[in-house]
Structures are given as C-alpha cells and as structure tokens.
Amino acid sequence: MDKLMKKRVKGILIDTAISTAVSVAVEQAVKKKVKNSFFQTAVAPALVLYGLEYVQLRKSGQTIGQKAAGIKIHSETGEELTPKQIMKRMVHRDTLSSLIYLKNPKKYNTTGAKFPHDVYAETVVKEV
C-alpha cells in the first residue's frame, strides 16, 4: 500500500472514531426528545459525520484525522474548496465511488491521490 493511501486510511479511522464519540453524545442528548429509533441509529450518526467533515473541510481543507495523518484535500484548480465540491465529494464517496472503483481500479491513481469521488468533485489529496 502506498504511503499516501496509508495516510488516507489513518485519517478516516481517526475521523470515524471522533464521529462515533460525538454521535453517542448526540444520541444521549436527543434520546428523550426523538423517539424514532431509525433516526437515532441511522440518521443522527450520518448527520454528525457529514456535519463534522463539512465544517472542518470548509474551514481548513482538512479534518482532524487528515491533519493527524499529514494530508489535506485540495481543489484541482488550487483554489479553496467550495461547498459544492465538499458535498459532492462526501456523498459520492459514500454512494457510488466504491462501485466505480471496483469496476475499473486501474483507471484511478494507485498512489492514493485520486479516487472516483475525488475525480467527481475535482479534488485531490496531497501530503502536507
């Protein structure tokens, strides 16, 4: 596995741990107010994950996990990430990206810099 790919994995593992901890806290806070178990087990954790990632990427171009791993998300044009790019990247990553990658893995950069969701959102991951 390439060095950049290892850093991406490390970053997402850290971000997932943080998101899980925040989700548990949110679940406890809304448990009495929202009785719907689907919301508590599926919707709330997804909102927390997307919310945390969106805010962090919008603010600095990297999440806490990415910062710890030494990587940053950049726009292909070199400009600041736009809200549209961030949303496209997150949603595509969690829906179609894996299927597209498995269909033709050789098409994508094997160094870990670009995956289908990066291509779709016009972003690239770089070491910092």
Side-chain angles (χ1 to χ4, degrees):
M1 187 183 302
D2 184 83
K3 182 179 173 185
L4 184 56
M5 177 61 98
K6 288 179 184 177
K7 288 184 174 199
R8 285 182 82 146
V9 170
K10 178 181 176 182
I12 194 68
L13 290 175
I14 293 169
D15 288 336
T16 301
I18 292 168
S19 175
T20 301
V22 173
S23 290
V24 168
V26 167
E27 181 181 343
Q28 295 305 314
V30 300
K31 189 181 254 184
K32 292 180 182 176
K33 293 180 183 182
V34 180
K35 301 292 183 195
N36 187 327
S37 63
F38 176 76
F39 180 86
Q40 293 176 0
T41 59
V43 177
L47 289 175
V48 168
L49 176 67
Y50 281 130
L52 287 172
E53 185 175 1
Y54 180 85
V55 168
Q56 292 174 79
L57 289 176
R58 189 76 181 113
K59 184 177 177 183
S60 66
Q62 62 189 155
T63 63
I64 293 170
Q66 292 165 348
K67 189 172 194 170
I71 58 175
K72 188 172 182 178
I73 312 295
H74 296 275
S75 175
E76 286 180 342
T77 62
E79 298 174 11
E80 188 175 308
L81 292 173
T82 65
K84 185 176 178 179
Q85 281 180 301
I86 295 169
M87 290 303 297
K88 283 173 70 172
R89 186 176 190 281
M90 291 187 309
V91 172
H92 197 270
R93 178 196 62 217
D94 293 340
T95 56
L96 300 173
S97 187
S98 297
L99 296 173
I100 293 169
Y101 180 80
L102 291 173
K103 185 176 177 182
N104 190 3
K106 292 181 181 181
K107 179 180 177 182
Y108 298 96
N109 186 337
T110 58
T111 66
K114 287 190 90 59
F115 284 109
H117 55 279
D118 294 309
V119 172
Y120 181 71
E122 300 175 348
T123 59
V124 64
V125 177
K126 295 182 180 178
E127 292 182 86
V128 290

